[in-house]
Amino acid sequence: MMADGVVLPHMMQAQFQNGTPAVLGAPEVIEDVTMPEDEPLNISISISNVVCTFSTKCHLNLKKIAMEGSNVEYHRQHGMLNMRIRRPYTTASVWSSGKITCTGALTEEDAKIAARRFARKIQKLGYKVKFSNFRIVNVLGTCALPFCLNITNFSREHKEASYEPELHPGVTYRIKDPKATLKIFSTGSITVTAPRVANIQSAIEFIFPLVERFNAGPRAESTVSVNPEKLKNKNRRIANRVHKPELEVEDYESDSDFEDSEDFDSDESQD
């Protein structure tokens, strides 16, 4: 998911709007942004992963689920299995205790929809599933500033920053309120890890006036050549995977067995 823009008028004030990527799984492109001194700066934020967890409140026989379920990979050596669905395109790690971790969603709403669909798939295999203890545990977002940064000087002036160039090329900056961890790179790229999507925007608003003082000049244009034919074929394969015709699947059972009684769309049975 990419936000349409975060407007930073050289100090603060941002506006965060949800957007939908044109092709699921395709790399998102952030347009180059100039920074006139008398105009606000518009920065796009890309949400690339929302991680959530929930519990089924019952013991799960992983071997049975692997044999009878669909789109399942059983990892006996790790004592868990991976389960995948197409819409939203997500992966669940399932343990026999009933704890499930879901990754790959682009919004918090998609994360909850995916979690409930995984619970439905397990319920259809004969388990008395109770959808409970759902929570968002991690959100990963990225943005690219239109200028490079002098991260060495930045790390020296801010005690909250940790910079170990022998171990990692970026500066690690932790914010207590809103809670977030940022990885700041000399190219102007910033990666944010936070417990909620809203914290991503707040963290960018917080860090921008601090890093703006360490502007090291405009970003260099990429010199990597891309074969247009290969890129076209790759996008075609992604589109064919995402927009694969839907299969006729019988409706799920009633929501009465779930503690969370939110209504679900009729297409929730799609893998």
Side-chain angles (χ1 to χ4, degrees), residues 50-54 85 87-88 90 100 102-120 131-137 258-264 268:
V50 178
V51 182
C52 65
T53 63
F54 69 96
I85 59 175
R87 294 188 179 181
T90 49
I100 299 178
C102 180
T103 62
L106 300 179
T107 65
E108 293 184 4
E109 294 78 9
D110 282 351
K112 187 164 188 177
I113 291 175
R116 289 182 61 84
R117 290 182 178 175
F118 285 120
R120 292 278 196 263
F131 187 83
S132 60
N133 300 331
F134 173 85
R135 64 190 184 99
I136 303 295
V137 296
F258 286 92
E259 291 182 358
D260 188 344
S261 60
E262 293 182 8
D263 293 333
F264 233 5
E268 63 185 352

Side-chain angles (χ1 to χ4, degrees), residues 137-209:
V137 296
N138 194 19
V139 178
L140 178 64
T142 59
C143 74
L145 303 178
F147 49 83
C148 296
L149 298 172
N150 189 331
I151 58 177
T152 302
N153 292 342
F154 174 80
S155 62
R156 289 173 180 171
E157 290 197 18
H158 295 86
K159 63 180 181 179
E160 299 87 353
S162 173
Y163 182 40
E164 297 291 343
E166 298 85 359
L167 303 177
H168 192 270
V171 172
T172 301
Y173 191 97
R174 290 179 172 84
I175 304 175
K176 293 183 179 180
D177 187 22
K179 186 178 181 181
T181 301
L182 298 88
K183 299 287 187 180
I184 306 170
F185 300 90
S186 60
T187 59
S189 298
I190 301 178
T191 300
V192 187
T193 304
R196 292 188 301 273
V197 172
N199 287 24
I200 302 291
Q201 176 196 350
S202 299
I204 296 299
E205 292 177 351
F206 178 89
I207 202 65
F208 180 79

Side-chain angles (χ1 to χ4, degrees), residues 210-234:
L210 302 182
V211 300
E212 187 182 20
R213 295 175 44 238
F214 301 91
N215 187 332
R219 300 182 61 164
E221 295 292 336
S222 176
T223 58
V224 179
S225 61
V226 179
N227 189 326
E229 190 64 27
K230 288 185 178 180
L231 184 60
K232 182 178 179 180
N233 293 336
K234 179 181 178 181

